[in-house]
Amino acid sequence: MAPIVWCRKMMPADDKDDQQDRKEEATLAFKTAYVFDISQTDGKPLPDFARVNGDPGAYTERSRQYVTSKSIVLGHSESIGSAEGVSAGGLIKLKKGLTSAEELSVLAHELAHEILHRDRDNMPKEKKVRETEAEAVAFVVCHGIGLDTNSASSDYIQLYNGDKKTLLQSLERIQRTAAEILGAVMDTESKCDTAGGKSCVAAAA
């Protein structure tokens, strides 16, 4: 059974002739659909996402300490589906079995969500923008401590249809958040200035 969501316009209660004030109501229904397992298909193997590589050394532990210093509960779990990390308003869960480099990257991504998107009144409405911001922050943090990000961040951003335009619109928010995290884990002020930060963020696309 496949879910179907569609919107229908409702007539305003006070004036049935006012077409401009009609509100939309989302309706959910289901229909039958064909589903195939990958073993039942032909063709070239599906490409894997690029991975973050390198040795973050003490930066992983410093990142964990910074997360807990912000009163965010940090844990590991095997039951978060296909995601490598999730955040939910004061709670971050990371998938067990990540390499140290992958863990730092995912942790920076989820921490960016906590910093930028915890306040629902001040967060972008589009998921594309929220995911682009979080992954761009993770890219800058990983780049700042010397990890090899290859195309991992750009792959992720493109998965959500993000692009350079989306990145540049959030440039100030991304720079500020990445500088905050880098300043904490490196125990010094971040060197990601306006010009350098712009280059880092553009590279993530």
Side-chain angles (χ1 to χ4, degrees):
M1 301 297 290
I4 306 173
V5 179
W6 76 88
C7 294
R8 60 177 179 174
K9 289 192 174 182
M10 306 296 292
M11 298 297 290
D14 54 344
D15 186 358
K16 294 183 180 294
D17 295 326
D18 190 347
Q19 299 294 316
Q20 292 184 346
D21 292 335
R22 293 171 67 183
K23 295 182 179 180
E24 290 189 345
E25 180 183 78
T27 304
L28 178 65
F30 295 87
K31 72 173 185 178
T32 56
Y34 292 103
V35 179
F36 297 92
D37 183 79
I38 191 171
S39 63
Q40 297 172 282
T41 63
D42 298 320
K44 297 180 180 178
L46 295 175
D48 292 327
F49 279 108
R51 314 295 294 184
V52 177
N53 298 304
D55 180 12
Y59 294 126
T60 300
E61 182 58 32
R62 290 181 186 178
S63 299
R64 293 173 186 156
Q65 292 174 356
Y66 183 59
V67 167
T68 55
S69 74
K70 295 180 73 67
S71 300
I72 299 172
V73 178
L74 176 61
H76 293 76
S77 175
E78 295 178 343
S79 57
I80 55 176
S82 60
E84 294 187 341
V86 294
S87 61
L91 171 67
I92 292 177
K93 286 186 178 181
L94 304 180
K95 187 175 183 178
K96 288 184 177 180
L98 297 175
T99 66
S100 56
E102 291 168 349
E103 179 171 331
L104 191 145
S105 176
V106 176
L107 183 55
H109 178 106
E110 301 305 335
L111 179 55
H113 276 309
E114 289 291 309
I115 296 172
L116 289 169
H117 310 139
R118 192 169 180 176
D119 181 3
R120 294 188 175 276
D121 294 329
N122 192 37
M123 73 176 188
K125 294 182 179 179
E126 289 187 86
K127 186 172 184 178
K128 173 181 75 172
V129 178
R130 298 196 302 271
E131 294 300 329
T132 296
E133 288 184 343
E135 188 58 26
V137 169
F139 174 85
V140 176
V141 170
C142 289
H143 182 83
I145 65 175
L147 295 180
D148 178 13
T149 58
N150 46 75
S151 65
S153 291
S154 60
D155 288 349
Y156 185 92
I157 289 172
Q158 290 173 28
L159 181 66
Y160 287 92
N161 297 317
D163 52 25
K164 289 185 178 180
K165 180 180 179 181
T166 309
L167 285 164
L168 293 176
Q169 288 175 341
S170 297
L171 179 60
E172 191 275 331
R173 288 162 57 85
I174 294 167
Q175 284 180 270
R176 184 180 68 248
T177 306
E180 176 184 335
I181 297 173
L182 280 172
V185 301
M186 299 181 76
D187 198 26
T188 183
E189 291 188 4
S190 170
K191 302 301 182 182
C192 192
D193 57 17
T194 302
K198 187 177 293 186
S199 298
C200 287
V201 170

